[in-house]
Amino acid sequence: MVSRESMGIDAGLTFDLEGVKSVLQKALVVAALILYFGFVVVLVGLLLVGRAEAKTVAYGSGTEQVRIKYGVPTIFRFQKAVQTITGAGRLQVEPANKVDPSYKVLSVTPRFTNGVNEVTFFLTDNSVVRTKILVSPNDPAADTFYDFKSRDSADSADNENAPPLTEVELLKAMYRDDNVSGYKAIRTSQVFPSKSGGQVELVRIYQGNPFNGYVFKVKNTNWRKNLEIDVRHITVGNPSMAILSQSDETTLYPKGKGVNETFVRVVAKNTASSRDVILAMESEEAAAAKSKGGD
């Protein structure tokens, strides 16, 4: 026979075991949630701070042009922490990681839709980073991550991702219509207005680091006048970011009277945009008048 006392002990043991199981299950669920959210936080941090495709901006004493989009934050990463910022009244600037703030990595969000804002960042090592921030709701040249490095350190650092490429080598590759390691070659067809009687069409873009390359097809649409192209006066932005320019022809003749189209190639800093390029073209009469005026 089994006594009532022994039955009470067994029931108590069964109750305690069920309670322990319930506690363990809850603990496992909580631990799993903590691991999951921890993984998410680490993943977001890596995406924000450690993106390999960040565009490098090599700064010196001049002003560097930076393009960002309206409506989304853009990450600015510096070699040293930012101590003071001037001219950022129309921008929301804050640490990218609010949980563990670092003033070396900032999130920049424009409060205006379209325009230009000159902002200066003063770093803790007394470096000064001067920028001209161009804001647009839809700018294909805008990036979401910029890595600011002093020109001295950028020049001395070894680029492990791609072999070093000079502006002359890039221009040669553009002339041969080659693909370039470390550069994204984009075929396009964008026609730009011209007051000189020439038709300008952007046909290819080379995007990379530290340069961008642009290939234009220029056509003389005049019926009687020649069109002169002077690569010495091609500009990209203000101050100009043009580094090297080349044209297959310097004189374009009216249609049916000779060569009336050519390719013009421009190498510029990689913070430039094709919309900043101004080709130096004028009709033969205007060029002659300017020459007489100079005499």
Side-chain angles (χ1 to χ4, degrees), residues 155-166:
D155 291 341
S156 61
D158 293 329
N159 189 346
E160 298 178 357
N161 297 324
L165 186 75
T166 67

Side-chain angles (χ1 to χ4, degrees), residues 31-231:
L33 288 173
I34 291 174
L35 289 173
Y36 174 78
F37 286 111
F39 173 77
V40 171
V41 170
V42 171
L43 181 61
V44 171
L46 290 173
L47 288 174
L48 288 176
V49 180
R51 284 182 55 189
E53 56 267 54
K55 179 176 285 187
T56 300
V57 178
Y59 65 87
S61 58
T63 301
E64 300 301 326
Q65 183 171 285
V66 180
R67 294 178 174 274
I68 67 177
K69 288 185 179 180
Y70 171 76
V72 294
T74 301
I75 302 301
F76 284 16
R77 182 169 61 188
F78 299 88
Q79 292 173 298
K80 299 293 182 180
V82 176
Q83 194 169 33
T84 309
I85 304 173
T86 61
R90 296 200 296 162
L91 302 169
Q92 180 180 338
V93 183
E94 58 187 358
N97 187 347
K98 297 180 182 179
V99 178
D100 184 18
S102 170
Y103 288 89
K104 291 175 65 177
V105 185
L106 302 179
S107 172
V108 180
T109 307
R111 293 193 177 101
F112 59 102
T113 308
N114 206 328
V116 181
N117 205 165
E118 294 192 0
V119 182
T120 303
F121 300 87
F122 298 88
L123 310 187
T124 53
D125 64 349
N126 296 324
S127 298
V128 180
V129 183
R130 297 178 177 85
T131 64
K132 179 187 287 186
I133 298 178
L134 283 73
V135 177
S136 173
N138 187 21
D139 187 347
D143 209 319
T144 56
F145 194 111
Y146 290 95
D147 200 358
F148 291 86
K149 294 183 179 180
S150 66
R151 188 162 283 114
D152 293 339
S153 65
D155 291 341
S156 61
D158 293 329
N159 189 346
E160 298 178 357
N161 297 324
L165 186 75
T166 67
E167 60 269 32
V168 175
E169 290 171 334
L170 177 58
L171 186 64
K172 288 180 179 178
M174 292 164 61
Y175 181 83
R176 296 190 299 264
D177 199 26
D178 289 344
N179 290 322
V180 183
S181 176
Y183 281 75
K184 183 179 180 182
I186 304 170
R187 293 190 181 276
T188 183
S189 178
Q190 302 177 36
V191 178
F192 295 86
S194 174
K195 298 179 181 179
S196 59
Q199 178 181 300
V200 180
E201 179 187 6
L202 177 64
V203 296
R204 197 162 192 189
I205 302 173
Y206 287 79
Q207 290 181 342
N209 186 25
F211 310 114
N212 277 355
Y214 306 101
V215 181
F216 297 89
K217 180 188 285 187
V218 181
K219 192 173 186 179
N220 186 4
T221 57
N222 289 299
W223 288 98
R224 297 181 180 179
K225 302 175 184 177
N226 295 344
L227 189 67
E228 303 294 330
I229 300 176
D230 190 348
V231 296

